[in-house]
Amino acid sequence: QVRLVESGGGSVQAGGSLRLSCTAFGYIGRLNVMGWYRQAPGKQRELVASITTGGSTNYADSVKGRFAISRDGAKNTVSLQMNNLRPEDTATYYCNSPTNPYDWGQGTRVTVSS
């Protein structure tokens, strides 16, 4: 059983930065493809970034050039560096695997004010 725990959210002004972290507990071995999702109030959850075990990354157009995903296989962690944040980035952020989904964690809330 894998438990995903996200942290690092907070409130920032537009143009600010945050770094989110996700730790997978109860997992031994390499993680699958991992990703960061977000869900804004009243909207569907969307995948904003993903990273393969080999380190290849993909980003949604809305965050390309501003967000950077990384992973540490030894620590079972996945991080999301978010720069130049915009009010439209306001959402609850979750990590999970797009290819082999685990149970969702509680997420971490990001609020960006203008």
Side-chain angles (χ1 to χ4, degrees):
Q1 187 82 12
V2 173
R3 184 166 67 95
L4 300 170
V5 179
E6 301 93 348
S7 63
S11 297
V12 297
Q13 291 190 327
S17 298
L18 284 172
R19 185 175 181 84
L20 307 183
S21 182
C22 168
T23 302
F25 292 97
Y27 184 84
I28 299 175
R30 299 175 69 187
L31 290 169
N32 294 301
V33 175
M34 290 298 293
W36 279 95
Y37 297 76
R38 68 185 180 189
Q39 187 168 22
K43 295 188 177 181
Q44 288 190 331
R45 192 171 294 175
E46 62 172 340
L47 178 66
V48 297
S50 64
I51 185 167
T52 68
T53 54
S56 297
T57 57
N58 272 293
Y59 299 94
D61 288 343
S62 58
V63 306
K64 200 170 294 184
R66 300 187 297 121
F67 290 11
I69 188 171
S70 60
R71 69 191 294 166
D72 185 333
K75 298 180 180 179
N76 279 352
T77 60
V78 183
S79 298
L80 186 69
Q81 177 67 41
M82 306 187 296
N83 299 324
N84 192 20
L85 283 161
R86 304 169 179 169
E88 54 264 38
D89 295 319
T90 295
T92 299
Y93 286 71
Y94 304 85
C95 69
N96 211 326
S97 173
T99 55
N100 185 28
Y102 305 107
D103 291 340
W104 292 94
Q106 82 288 349
T108 187
R109 178 75 178 168
V110 172
T111 302
V112 185
S113 58
S114 56

